[in-house]
Amino acid sequence: MATHRTQGQRSTDFAFARDGELVTLASVCDRDRGNPDGGCGCGRAFAGLRSHKATTTAIVVEMVMTRDDYLHRMRASARDAGFLQDGEDPTDIDDQADELLDIAAGWPIGTVVERRGDLIQVREWPPRQRA
């Protein structure tokens, strides 16, 4: 989900997506390909599923949602943004959804992540739970 946590840690940060909004990976233009700090910003951006606005930070959360629910939201967002037409094969969208679920499953809840081109990496680990 989009978060403002750790915003400003990099001078190239931005947060236009709503806090708590599910995110996907923004498409990367030729201008930013190979340079996540390029002028466009898409090489370091996640895109909000509802607002379609970008942010450089996301947080790993746990939600009561099935994989099918998540796929439905991803497909609806792609349709709204014009990336998926009715009747078109959603395999690419589904593959990206599965990839994001797999990535998020590898980190504890509360981990803040950033995108650096094709790499999604930890920006801030969640506080350790005390016994």
Side-chain angles (χ1 to χ4, degrees), residues 13-85:
D13 278 344
F14 51 82
F16 303 111
R18 299 179 195 121
D19 261 13
E21 178 178 15
L22 288 172
V23 295
T24 189
L25 300 176
S27 298
V28 179
C29 70
D30 290 340
R31 180 176 168 189
D32 277 15
R33 194 168 315 285
N35 180 12
D37 291 314
C40 174
C42 59
R44 61 186 178 275
F46 299 96
L49 291 187
R50 293 193 68 145
S51 69
H52 304 287
K53 293 183 180 180
T55 183
T56 52
T57 52
I59 189 166
V60 177
V61 299
E62 183 174 37
M63 295 182 69
V64 178
M65 178 186 303
T66 66
R67 176 183 175 272
D68 286 343
D69 292 339
Y70 185 57
L71 291 177
H72 174 76
R73 289 184 188 198
M74 289 282 288
R75 290 173 184 175
S77 178
R79 275 189 210 91
D80 290 347
F83 294 120
L84 182 64
Q85 305 302 315

Side-chain angles (χ1 to χ4, degrees), residues 4-16:
H4 278 78
R5 279 187 39 202
T6 73
Q7 279 290 316
Q9 203 174 70
R10 291 185 184 271
S11 63
T12 56
D13 278 344
F14 51 82
F16 303 111

